[in-house]
Amino acid sequence: MKKIIIILHCILITQYSFAADQKLFSGSEPAINEAPAGFWGVFSKTPNPGTLPAGGSALADKLQINPAEIEMQPAASNAAESFPADWQAAIQLAVNHHPSISSSIATLESSGFTIDAAKAGYLPSIKAGITTGRQQDEGSGHIATVGLSQMLYDFGKTGSAVDQASAKYLRQQATVLMQIDTIIEQTALALNDVYRSTQLLDNSKKEVKALRDILALTQMRADAGASTRVDPVQAQARVEAAQAEQLDLEIKLQQQKYHLQSLLGQPVAEKKISAPISLLPLIERQNARIDLNRNPTILVAQADAAVALAELRNYKAQRYPTLSLEASTNKYIGDIADYQRHSQYQNVYLSVNSTLYQGGALVAQESASARALEAARTTIASKKLEISDQQRNYFQSVKGLQKNISLLTRRMKTIMETRSLYREQYLSLGNRNVLDLLNAEQEISRAQQDLINARCDLWASSVNYLVVTGMAREAFDLNNKVIQGLRIAP
């Protein structure tokens, strides 16, 4: 009894000494408390979740997180030299930078270790231990034990655990692909938005210049007495309206560049982004029937069904016993060995273990797993229906926008001819007023704006279609490429 008291006293002294050392070397930063690792946690003050800080430098340092600081005016030094040469390179840069993909890959690696942990159930388990104390009147001492347990047959408990871990690994693989497709889509659409706004801004600048030319013309005619002072006033109002629209486009373009910068992880160059490559040839090469299993969302739903099936198999296996081979060797050490006939002895035996009654928990768990499997299978059908609808919508959008671009191109040609006629009639014949010239010029600008939007909408719909069909990685040459340490298979 005296020895036990001394041991407990030493443990308590060690604990308080370790706590004092932590306090001594903690520095000026506030410490992040952790729950004690031993039985003395009963007597210690454990962390209260309600009082822990939601952030701060101490917690960030403990979790090895970079400071959450941003620059409101990001520097664009050397951006022109480092900015990707084309959209494909920019998208590849984004997927190799974005932290959400890093997180998904880290989770995938963690899932791989769970498979190894589940497979360990097939292998023997070796345990060692030592007990100390007093046994009645035989004296004090120790009993050292080394035991081995080998599962021989468990009716599928271990196998179902391996299947479940494997299915979760496959699910996480599909999640990684889904996250990559998400970043591809976000980056491609962000590039498209920047390109659209750049084109619209150029068109707006052309409109302002054209309206200023008309303003100069009306001022010249008014000074010569060929027209009233109303014409320059009307032209000036149109110029100011066009300048306000140009300013709005400049602000919007800068916002979109900042969004693109966050996806690429580097400043966006001030130079104009090149035009995107056409995705229509890839869409047209596809057959009339699309394989829905290429979409990661379907792969995730199928993996969920595999997880539910393995879980159901595991709960069914829990009804049956587990047959194991048990072996152990024991050795008495100390005074107690003097009272034993043999200071060391061994045991080898077969063990059959089974839980006879769990209060109905096993039946309930099996029923819940069966319903979960049914729900997972229904989810697959639901996701296929949803994705099929999205594919058809994007495909029809692509076809409709192609026709619309042809109409807008012809409209642009007609309006250009109208402007030339109006200008000639205004200057020579005098049967056109300045409003006709201003309206014609702005009609040209609106037609060009509609044409820019239609072309960018066509490219955005093409990207959305390829993402839904699971072909985005092929379109931007990411298959068989290493992304953040992970090779992407087709």
Side-chain angles (χ1 to χ4, degrees):
M1 187 65 182
K2 184 177 180 181
K3 290 183 178 180
I4 295 176
I5 295 174
I6 293 174
I7 291 173
L8 291 176
H9 181 69
C10 292
I11 292 173
L12 291 174
I13 290 176
T14 303
Q15 166 66 11
Y16 286 117
S17 299
F18 181 74
D21 290 340
Q22 280 189 319
K23 183 176 181 182
L24 181 62
F25 294 102
S26 60
S28 58
E29 288 287 337
I32 304 300
N33 296 326
E34 294 182 345
F39 76 95
W40 47 82
V42 177
F43 310 103
S44 302
K45 184 178 180 180
T46 57
N48 183 0
T51 62
L52 291 177
S57 58
L59 184 59
D61 291 342
K62 179 178 178 60
L63 299 178
Q64 299 181 0
I65 299 175
N66 293 328
E69 298 177 357
I70 62 172
E71 296 180 6
M72 296 308 296
Q73 296 292 336
S77 60
N78 300 324
E81 292 77 9
S82 61
F83 192 77
D86 53 33
W87 292 37
Q88 181 171 297
I91 290 172
Q92 291 179 356
L93 176 65
V95 297
N96 280 288
H97 153 77
H98 207 278
S100 64
I101 297 178
S102 304
S103 176
S104 297
I105 292 176
T107 305
L108 176 64
E109 294 172 349
S110 175
S111 299
F113 289 116
T114 61
I115 298 177
D116 296 336
K119 287 183 177 179
Y122 292 121
L123 302 176
S125 173
I126 301 176
K127 297 180 180 180
I130 186 169
T131 58
T132 184
R134 183 179 182 84
Q135 291 191 3
Q136 295 181 356
D137 296 331
E138 296 180 354
S140 301
H142 317 283
I143 303 177
T145 303
V146 177
L148 179 144
S149 177
Q150 172 63 61
M151 183 272 295
L152 300 179
Y153 192 73
D154 63 357
F155 291 90
K157 297 183 184 70
T158 303
S160 59
V162 173
D163 289 343
Q164 190 171 355
S166 300
K168 289 181 178 179
Y169 182 82
L170 294 177
R171 187 190 191 282
Q172 188 56 35
Q173 276 187 327
T175 302
V176 172
L177 296 179
M178 184 188 301
Q179 194 60 48
I180 291 174
D181 285 358
T182 299
I183 301 304
I184 290 174
E185 183 177 23
Q186 290 179 357
T187 307
L189 295 181
L191 285 163
N192 190 49
D193 288 340
V194 172
Y195 178 76
R196 183 201 302 262
S197 294
T198 303
Q199 297 295 307
L200 292 176
L201 181 58
D202 289 344
N203 179 62
S204 180
K205 290 178 179 179
K206 291 178 181 177
E207 180 185 0
V208 171
K209 183 179 182 303
L211 293 176
R212 280 178 174 172
D213 290 342
I214 295 176
L215 173 61
L217 179 62
T218 58
Q219 288 175 340
M220 182 181 64
R221 287 175 61 85
D223 293 341
S227 64
T228 64
R229 301 299 301 176
V230 174
D231 288 356
V233 173
Q234 291 175 331
Q236 180 66 33
R238 296 293 182 93
V239 169
E240 292 172 351
Q243 288 175 332
E245 183 178 355
Q246 177 183 332
L247 181 59
D248 290 340
L249 287 172
E250 289 175 350
I251 295 172
K252 186 175 182 180
L253 175 59
Q254 194 61 38
Q255 292 172 337
Q256 291 169 342
K257 282 187 174 181
Y258 283 168
H259 176 57
L260 178 59
Q261 173 179 320
S262 66
L263 290 168
L264 298 180
Q266 68 176 42
V268 178
E270 291 300 325
K271 66 178 183 178
K272 295 180 181 179
I273 297 179
S274 60
I277 59 173
S278 177
L279 301 175
L280 296 178
L282 179 60
I283 295 176
E284 293 170 354
R285 283 203 308 267
Q286 297 182 80
N287 297 326
R289 300 178 65 85
I290 303 298
D291 184 10
L292 296 179
N293 291 327
R294 299 186 66 170
N295 189 296
T297 303
I298 300 297
L299 300 179
V300 170
Q302 291 173 344
D304 285 337
V307 171
L309 180 62
E311 188 178 61
L312 176 60
R313 179 188 168 198
N314 183 269
Y315 284 131
K316 287 183 176 180
Q318 297 297 329
R319 295 179 177 180
Y320 304 102
T322 299
L323 177 64
S324 302
L325 174 64
E326 306 286 345
S328 65
T329 179
N330 305 271
K331 182 175 180 59
Y332 292 101
I333 303 172
D335 297 340
I336 194 174
D338 299 335
Y339 295 88
Q340 308 301 324
R341 182 177 180 183
H342 300 286
S343 62
Q344 183 173 349
Y345 63 94
Q346 293 79 29
N347 296 317
V348 178
Y349 49 89
L350 291 175
S351 173
V352 178
N353 294 314
S354 179
T355 302
L356 299 180
Y357 183 68
Q358 290 183 336
L362 194 59
V363 176
Q365 290 169 336
E366 185 177 336
S367 299
S369 297
R371 298 298 181 273
L373 176 59
E374 181 180 352
R377 287 171 173 167
T378 306
T379 300
I380 295 175
S382 175
K383 291 295 183 181
K384 285 184 177 180
L385 183 63
E386 178 183 344
I387 290 173
S388 298
D389 186 51
Q390 291 177 352
Q391 287 179 348
R392 295 189 186 100
N393 287 339
Y394 288 133
F395 186 77
Q396 293 302 319
S397 178
V398 168
K399 294 300 181 182
L401 285 167
Q402 285 179 286
K403 296 178 181 179
N404 192 26
I405 289 173
S406 299
L407 291 174
L408 289 173
T409 303
R410 291 197 297 269
R411 175 193 173 199
M412 188 70 188
K413 182 179 180 181
T414 302
I415 297 175
M416 295 285 287
E417 294 176 356
T418 302
R419 180 183 65 175
S420 299
L421 292 174
Y422 280 6
R423 182 178 288 269
E424 180 181 353
Q425 292 173 0
Y426 176 75
L427 293 175
S428 60
L429 301 178
N431 58 355
R432 289 288 174 184
N433 57 39
V434 71
L435 289 178
D436 293 332
L437 288 182
L438 294 171
N439 290 337
E441 201 62 57
Q442 289 191 312
E443 186 69 16
I444 290 175
S445 179
R446 297 297 175 268
Q448 183 65 29
Q449 178 178 319
D450 291 342
L451 188 58
I452 292 171
N453 284 326
R455 288 170 176 166
C456 292
D457 288 343
L458 173 61
W459 202 83
S461 295
S462 301
V463 171
N464 291 328
Y465 176 79
L466 292 175
V467 169
V468 172
T469 56
M471 298 182 63
R473 280 161 274 122
E474 177 182 348
F476 296 104
D477 194 26
L478 291 176
N479 286 334
N480 296 316
K481 294 292 180 65
V482 177
I483 297 178
Q484 300 193 28
L486 180 69
R487 182 172 294 277
I488 304 301

